[in-house]
Amino acid sequence: MEEGKKTIGLLTSGGDATGMNAAIRAVVRAGIAAGMNVKGIMRGYAGLLEEEIVDMSSRSVADIIHRGGTILYTARCKEFMTEEGQRKGAEICRKHGIEGLVVIGGDGSFRGAGKLAELGINTIGIPGTIDLDIACTDYTIGFDTAINTAMEAIDKIRDTSTSHERVSIIEVMGRHAGYIALWCGIANGAEDILIPETYDHDEQRIIDQIIRQRQSGKKHHIIINAEGIGHSVGMAARIEAATGIETRATILGHMQRGGAPTCKDRVYASIMGAKAVHLLLEGKTRRVVAHQAGEFVDYDILEALAMKKEIHSDFLGVGRELIRV
Ligand code: ADP
Ligand code: F6P
């Protein structure tokens, strides 16, 4: 660490997302290129409170752009939810000379960043979550890799589902949001897509549709169910009992969060990482980097957190149009 240089910190927080390493690399290298010291904070806000802070160099982020996970590790931290924890975090930043902090994570992590900004630490958020559930941006790090991973897995399940002429319910992640389910449902040509934003809990409709489609010659029936609806195993049992057709449930789980990032996740994460550093250089604080209508932009964190995200009607429309045939 060199004296007299501005120092920024960097952490990953909340659920990890593939592509976070590309963003870390970009922050470190853009920071160093701009003449700053960059410190990595391990394990999100938990590591900040434990002072797990390491100097980063260009070499410390070599060979990571293609790797899943986060080299800084990530955590959820209850203590940081308290005012006392946040004050302690800001003090530790000051103690280590950290004037600006880049936080890669989801909405919860941005709330924490907003609190640190109020306490005098310049903070910039980068959206990192496979769920795509951050309202201010149409891109979040990890979503692209997650949908491609899930899509490939669902293709494989479809093969065996067809051979056995079964119904398959495949549950994908997304917490309270249905984006992964909707994208995969469309990409995998599913017979049904269940997402929390629109699901009406009408299982009889699903059952009637399966029976109708079997009568019209369909050999399999793929239902993509979002985690926010859940209960795939029970749903499978009820569908099998009502239709007499063998039904299996598969929960894809954490495989959706790992693996090598797609080209898009590497490139967008790199651009967002560099942009976060540029915002700090301009003296900006409490901002979140976003991608909207083809451009990389930034918003005030509190305004961004107050925005409401709605699924574009074109996605819902095509989903509905293509599955009823
Ligand atoms: P994500 O960032 O993916 O939404 P979480 O909601 O789990 O994940 O938040 C990650 C961490 O951010 C939490 O463990 C906590 O340390 C911090 N955090 C979340 N909400 C707040 C809040 N309201 N105030 C301060 N810190 C918060
Ligand atoms: O937010 C990412 C995510 O993978 C969600 O899709 C899921 O609901 C949650 O995290 C799982 O969290 P954990 O890794 O703590 O089980």
Side-chain angles (χ1 to χ4, degrees), residues 227-295:
E227 172 190 25
I229 294 171
H231 303 288
S232 296
V233 174
M235 204 183 275
R238 290 190 293 276
I239 287 174
E240 180 165 316
T243 61
I245 302 166
E246 269 193 325
T247 303
R248 296 284 188 272
T250 308
I251 298 169
L252 293 186
H254 286 82
M255 68 173 298
Q256 295 161 93
R257 287 235 298 260
T262 58
C263 182
K264 179 172 180 174
D265 271 327
R266 295 179 201 195
V267 173
Y268 277 43
S270 298
I271 294 172
M272 285 186 159
K275 187 170 170 70
V277 171
H278 300 156
L279 291 171
L280 285 176
L281 274 172
E282 290 165 24
K284 299 260 177 74
T285 183
R286 214 179 70 185
R287 308 294 291 177
V288 56
V289 180
H291 185 261
Q292 273 291 359
E295 287 193 47

Side-chain angles (χ1 to χ4, degrees), residues 146-162:
I147 50 174
N148 278 289
T149 302
M151 181 187 74
E152 285 171 18
I154 295 163
D155 280 344
K156 294 184 171 105
I157 294 169
R158 185 193 185 110
D159 288 344
T160 163
S161 193
T162 307

Side-chain angles (χ1 to χ4, degrees), residues 145-199:
T145 305
I147 50 174
N148 278 289
T149 302
M151 181 187 74
E152 285 171 18
I154 295 163
D155 280 344
K156 294 184 171 105
I157 294 169
R158 185 193 185 110
D159 288 344
T160 163
S161 193
T162 307
S163 308
H164 288 263
E165 299 175 66
R166 282 173 173 158
V167 173
S168 287
I169 302 179
I170 303 157
E171 188 172 310
V172 295
M173 276 188 166
R175 204 181 291 255
H176 306 300
Y179 294 98
I180 298 177
L182 189 54
W183 277 68
C184 288
I186 295 169
N188 291 99
E191 276 67 37
D192 224 325
I193 309 170
L194 310 180
I195 60 172
E197 290 86 344
T198 57
Y199 187 50

Side-chain angles (χ1 to χ4, degrees), residues 10 22 28 31 40 78 81 114 129 137 152 162 179 184 231 237 293 301:
L10 161 70
V28 171
K78 281 209 178 112
M81 310 278 280
T129 169
T137 185
E152 285 171 18
T162 307
Y179 294 98
C184 288
H231 303 288
I301 283 185

Side-chain angles (χ1 to χ4, degrees), residues 20-59:
M20 281 183 167
N21 280 330
I24 292 170
R25 175 177 174 273
V27 170
V28 171
R29 296 216 170 149
I32 291 170
M36 299 193 281
N37 293 314
V38 185
K39 295 192 175 199
I41 298 163
M42 311 300 287
R43 300 183 177 77
Y45 295 119
L48 175 64
L49 298 187
E50 297 294 325
E51 292 190 56
E52 289 184 69
I53 301 173
V54 296
D55 292 336
M56 304 293 282
S57 68
S58 283
R59 295 285 69 77

